[in-house]
Amino acid sequence: MNGSLIFKERIYPVLFMLVLTLIFIGIVSAIYLSTREVVLLNESLFLKKALLYAADFPVPEGSTEAEEAFQTHFREVGDGRSGEGYFEILQGQGSQVVGYAFLTSGAGLWGEIEAVLAFEKDLKTLRGIEFTKQNETPGLGARITEQWFKEQFRRKKGPFVFVPEGEAAGSNEVDAITGATRTSEAVKAIVNRAVNEAGEFVGGGN
Amino acid sequence: MARGKVKNTFLDPLGKNNPVFAQVLGICSTLAVTNSFKNTVVMTMGVLFTTTLSNFTISLVRKLIPSRVRMMAETLIIAAYVIIVDVVLRAYLPDIWQQLGPYVGLIITNCIIMGRAEAFALTNPPGLSLVDGLASGIGYTYVLLVIALFRELLGSGSIWGFQILGDWWTNWSIMIMPPGAFFMLAIFIWIIKGVVLKEEEVKK
């Protein structure tokens, strides 16, 4: 093989890929960095809306209104956003603490399920639940994100018993999802573990 | 001559060489995202953007690409555009980005895009490749929109999230589940091939 052939067959393709890669990495990185702030803002807004929903407050559409509602109703204790700490739920005159909210997670059928749970002051009665991440089967397990499923936890006292869909009657009973047994069990495990551990998690505060 | 070529390049993917119903490419996303009209619009815009610009870019550098690494180069260019779509959606349409989940990233593996790059962009000038990419994207888009329209209407009684059908309507849940996509796509291909394309053949 002579010199020019070595260059053409061996060196040039490598150089070409290197240059092409650098150019496109540059373009993609520039776009990523320029939208980073917006993405972080979206993520924090998403969590705030989830907290508002879980604690049974109206969730405003606009970002400024949601931010305001969050400031009025929540006080972060420790690092609540990463699940290390928790949030105090504030309400009424003088912003009294009426409950606690925290992030929790557990294994679902396909992937991790992350949820925000909001408790009354007794740390047994749920104000509500909101799922912030799930990869369950669409149409079956993913129905945990539907309103009817989340709403049924409100003001019910754990630990919870899951009964066949449409049969929940008692104050600690919720409907499981037909056709999504494993997901229902996963949610049950996550919620009940949170109910059992809520006391020590919030630092014995009652 | 030149104008006729541009016209043919544009019209081919819309009709008899449509990437979805004639070449049966890009089926994964056709089945996966068409259960809601809004998501489908966003997804198809992503594919349209990627096919058009990747075809153009690949054609632009086609004489520089060494043939033994051409697929690597094509994938890299396609992936870059898809990541741009992903990042932009994540920043400005976070709700839809979350619902589409992994499917935005999977545009990279959409065979339509790679297929056009291999079959067209490598051997044709940038302008014509742009037209070809655009037309392939539009060909993909309108098929998906038709399927999504029927799936959301029959499966949820709504279009773009707005309730169209009244209380009397019982949702066909199967339409928003994966089997519904197979039924709709099959019916669509059946009608197109049985009615529209057959007439063209008879004319010849």
Side-chain angles (χ1 to χ4, degrees):
Chain A
M1 221 185 242
N2 63 39
S4 80
L5 206 62
I6 288 179
F7 177 78
K8 196 166 166 251
E9 287 290 309
R10 298 266 187 273
I11 301 170
Y12 177 68
V14 175
L15 279 180
F16 177 83
M17 280 313 293
L18 199 70
V19 172
L20 194 69
T21 311
L22 286 177
I23 292 173
F24 278 94
I25 285 179
I27 297 172
V28 170
S29 311
I31 293 177
Y32 173 78
L33 289 176
S34 66
T35 56
R36 215 181 114 105
E37 297 259 303
V38 189
V39 170
L40 289 175
L41 220 62
N42 284 341
E43 278 171 4
S44 116
L45 189 67
F46 177 73
L47 180 66
K48 285 170 185 170
K49 284 186 174 176
L51 278 160
L52 283 167
Y53 176 82
D56 205 9
F57 293 117
V59 184
E61 271 295 312
S63 54
T64 9
E65 291 86 351
E67 184 66 45
E68 253 170 52
F70 174 80
Q71 295 298 346
T72 345
H73 290 303
F74 292 95
R75 189 193 301 140
E76 195 172 347
V77 182
D79 190 3
R81 279 151 221 261
S82 69
E84 296 291 318
Y86 59 95
F87 294 88
E88 287 175 343
I89 304 169
L90 312 172
Q91 200 174 21
Q93 291 279 317
S95 300
Q96 283 157 334
V97 178
V98 293
Y100 303 95
F102 55 86
L103 276 63
T104 186
S105 64
L109 174 59
W110 300 117
E112 199 180 34
I113 297 177
E114 280 175 17
V116 172
L117 289 168
F119 286 94
E120 297 284 13
K121 245 186 147 181
D122 66 1
L123 287 171
K124 290 284 172 218
T125 315
L126 265 187
R127 287 175 75 95
I129 184 168
E130 172 70 308
F131 297 96
T132 48
K133 188 181 147 197
Q134 58 87 16
N135 288 306
E136 301 311 289
T137 321
L140 295 171
R143 288 173 69 211
I144 57 172
T145 58
E146 289 178 6
Q147 292 285 337
W148 70 269
F149 184 78
K150 295 183 296 193
E151 288 295 327
Q152 58 177 346
F153 285 93
R154 291 210 194 281
R155 318 288 169 193
K156 281 188 184 165
K157 205 167 180 170
F160 293 93
V161 178
F162 278 49
V163 296
E165 201 170 322
E167 287 179 16
S171 69
N172 65 343
E173 288 181 355
V174 286
D175 287 335
I177 295 171
T178 306
T181 312
R182 295 271 300 278
T183 302
S184 300
E185 273 171 8
V187 171
K188 183 171 125 183
I190 292 167
V191 176
N192 283 344
R193 199 191 62 220
V195 169
N196 291 330
E197 290 176 0
E200 49 189 280
F201 194 79
V202 180
N206 48 26
Chain B
M1 163 66 195
R3 177 172 290 180
K5 203 173 176 192
V6 173
K7 197 178 157 198
N8 281 345
T9 306
F10 188 76
L11 291 180
D12 239 27
L14 301 184
K16 67 175 195 293
N17 261 328
N18 185 280
V20 183
F21 63 73
Q23 301 174 14
V24 200
L25 293 176
I27 293 304
C28 173
S29 56
T30 306
L31 301 173
V33 300
T34 51
N35 56 2
S36 103
F37 195 71
K38 202 176 189 173
N39 291 355
T40 310
V41 169
V42 176
M43 177 74 182
T44 51
M45 288 305 109
V47 173
L48 193 61
F49 172 86
T50 313
T51 39
T52 310
L53 289 184
S54 68
N55 238 25
F56 177 72
T57 314
I58 290 165
S59 172
L60 214 56
V61 295
R62 71 186 190 282
K63 286 179 181 149
L64 299 173
I65 302 178
S67 65
R68 65 196 314 173
V69 296
R70 69 174 200 286
M71 285 201 164
M72 268 163 78
E74 287 160 19
T75 316
L76 181 88
I77 292 170
I78 294 166
Y81 283 116
V82 174
I83 293 169
I84 291 172
V85 171
D86 191 65
V87 168
V88 170
L89 279 186
R90 191 173 177 176
Y92 300 106
L93 293 169
D95 294 342
I96 293 179
W97 177 79
Q98 202 154 38
Q99 282 171 38
L100 287 174
Y103 293 108
V104 178
L106 284 174
I107 296 176
I108 296 169
T109 61
N110 192 315
C111 332
I112 298 171
I113 303 172
M114 192 74 180
R116 290 332 289 169
E118 277 282 293
F120 201 92
L122 281 179
T123 48
N124 286 285
L128 209 56
S129 298
L130 185 89
V131 173
D132 179 75
L134 185 70
S136 298
I138 295 172
Y140 170 85
T141 300
Y142 85 83
V143 176
L144 259 74
L145 289 183
V146 171
I147 294 174
L149 192 75
F150 281 104
R151 282 185 72 191
E152 191 180 338
L153 186 68
L154 298 175
S156 312
S158 59
I159 288 171
W160 196 273
F162 295 109
Q163 209 60 35
I164 303 282
L165 302 174
D167 289 337
W168 54 272
W169 175 256
T170 308
N171 291 339
W172 301 7
S173 307
I174 196 164
M175 272 301 164
I176 53 171
M177 293 202 282
F182 280 103
F183 290 133
M184 278 313 304
L185 181 64
I187 293 170
F188 189 88
I189 294 180
W190 181 35
I191 293 174
I192 292 284
K193 290 214 161 167
V195 181
V196 184
L197 293 184
K198 209 166 211 174
E199 271 170 22
E200 272 179 22
E201 248 168 57
V202 171
K203 259 186 230 160
K204 275 181 206 159

